[in-house]
Amino acid sequence: MHRPSHLVALAATFSSALAAFQGFNYGSTFTSGAAKQQSDFEAEFKTAQGLVGAPGGGFTSARLYTTVQGGTANDPISAIPAAINTKTSLLLGIWCSAGDATFASELQALKSAIAKYGTDFTKLVAGISVGSEDLYRISPTGLLNKENPGAQPSTLARYIKEVRDAISGTSLAGAPIGHVDTWTAWVNGSNQAVIDASDWIGVDAYPYFQETQANSVANSKALFDDAVGATQAAVGGKPVWITETGFPVSGKTVGQAIPGLENAKTYWDQVGCPLFGATNTWWYTFQDAAPATPNPSFGIIGNSLTTTPLFDISCKKVTNTTSSTSVGPSASISKSSATNPSTTDRVGGGSPGSDAGSGSGSNGTVPTSSTPSTTPATNFNGAGAISGSVGAAFAAVMVAILAL
Ligand SMILES: *[C@@H]1O[C@H](CO)[C@@H](O)[C@H](O)[C@H]1NC(C)=O
Ligand SMILES: *[C@@H]1O[C@H](CO)[C@@H](O)[C@H](O)[C@H]1NC(C)=O
Ligand SMILES: *[C@@H]1O[C@H](CO)[C@@H](O)[C@H](O)[C@H]1NC(C)=O
């Protein structure tokens, strides 16, 4: 009977994977367009880790948008050695919205990074996102908002396979591979091939941009939950990670959503606090205002690197709402890669500014306002948020175990 050993192995897997990844999104460039260098990434990662009052285990993970260092053809992004030096886990990003040649450069950079840094690098990898909001970009709303060229679902499925083949037999083999997009893309049945090809699903959701709905900050938690719930219902039990979400600390009003520190804190408390430590989450964002402040600006620290956030991020006095009562890790979620925590780190960083918000409109409408501000070397705009409801996956696995 092998049953006992299976159970033991599974139990071991889960017990070692109980914390969720918790971090921010990191662009590869500053708002000036200048490429970030290793020292820049190190300073950001270290400062994020030192944030005063950080909940859970602190912000020790970084989601990147590209694996290519700015200003180079296909050198690995310097966020990788910066992550190694600061023990920062990475949700790597492969930029997929600029055609096959650019994708090939991303793949080359990934291979070079594995060869150059070995397990010092690969053990930090939480996952690999092949693409970011590429499906949103080819949707009617994305086209309307003149986003960057996106990628067809069949193209993304092919890219995902190419990444799998590239890491096969390396120390990065087994890293969970997924794709980040807006929830509106995930509920679109025409994109099923991407769901099928993915190990996990990354969701970017921004109630702030959902101007066709009642999107006041008071209603934002409900809109966020709806977006994540709709995604979970559409992806067949695959783990859902929160790859981007956040609320502007400054900027223009969109619908009923009014930027400002008080509302940004409310959103953090109601949406972020229940996620931190429980669901793999990469918040949008740590800093998007260096050196210039975009409109809207989602960064929680302003223009200068500092460990003192613009508002209390401790989750200690969370607003009393039914859904946000559990601040802290709620037991059931596992690190995304329940199966394989060792692999993925995210490197890349495009500059977030972007269309991050974009896909969040529940009606699929992406606010024109969310026009991406920055483009990384190759245009990366999408800030996506991955939402993780690894809980569902965890539950599914438990069911599987019980069924053995
Ligand atoms: C659904 O997905 C397909 C393929 O990505 C895309 O062409 C189409 O525009 C999408 N429809 C909507 C309403 O977003
Ligand atoms: C939440 O609300 C209850 C009842 O109004 C109150 O007693 C409690 O102190 C509140 N908790 C927090 C953390 O504000
Ligand atoms: C979706 O958004 C578009 C653009 O704002 C709007 O015209 C349409 O009525 C909305 N549809 C729904 C169902 O809200």
Side-chain angles (χ1 to χ4, degrees), residues 103-126:
F103 173 74
S105 296
E106 292 277 341
L107 205 52
Q108 182 53 53
L110 181 64
K111 290 180 191 167
S112 298
I114 297 169
K116 184 171 183 184
Y117 303 109
T119 55
D120 286 347
F121 158 49
T122 58
K123 71 182 181 190
L124 294 174
V125 178

Side-chain angles (χ1 to χ4, degrees), residues 316-320:
K316 279 184 182 143
K317 287 187 246 174
V318 175
T319 316
N320 257 325

Side-chain angles (χ1 to χ4, degrees), residues 195 199 201 231-240 389-394 396-397:
I195 295 173
D199 298 323
I201 302 301
T231 300
Q232 288 170 329
V235 303
K238 297 215 173 179
V240 175
S389 55
V390 182
F394 182 79
V397 174

Side-chain angles (χ1 to χ4, degrees), residues 232-256:
Q232 288 170 329
V235 303
K238 297 215 173 179
V240 175
W241 299 356
I242 307 299
T243 34
E244 287 178 35
T245 195
F247 194 93
V249 296
S250 66
K252 63 185 172 245
T253 293
V254 174
Q256 299 170 10

Side-chain angles (χ1 to χ4, degrees), residues 228-371:
V228 174
T231 300
Q232 288 170 329
V235 303
K238 297 215 173 179
V240 175
W241 299 356
I242 307 299
T243 34
E244 287 178 35
T245 195
F247 194 93
V249 296
S250 66
K252 63 185 172 245
T253 293
V254 174
Q256 299 170 10
I258 305 168
L261 296 183
E262 191 179 336
N263 287 348
K265 180 186 183 318
T266 295
Y267 191 81
W268 177 277
D269 286 349
Q270 297 190 352
V271 173
C273 293
L275 293 171
F276 301 138
T279 298
N280 291 338
T281 301
W282 290 270
W283 196 260
Y284 195 87
T285 193
F286 182 50
Q287 183 179 46
D288 65 356
T293 303
N295 180 349
S297 175
F298 289 79
I300 66 163
I301 60 163
N303 302 88
S304 307
L305 276 186
T306 170
T307 55
T308 304
L310 293 171
F311 54 84
D312 178 1
I313 62 168
S314 71
C315 296
K316 279 184 182 143
K317 287 187 246 174
V318 175
T319 316
N320 257 325
T321 63
T322 43
S323 43
S324 59
T325 43
S326 70
V327 175
S330 67
S332 51
I333 306 196
S334 56
K335 211 167 201 175
S336 56
S337 13
T339 32
N340 177 351
S342 55
T343 30
T344 357
D345 258 305
R346 200 196 239 191
V347 185
S351 9
S354 58
D355 42 77
S358 10
S360 26
S362 38
N363 141 9
T365 328
V366 177
T368 351
S369 45
S370 56
T371 334

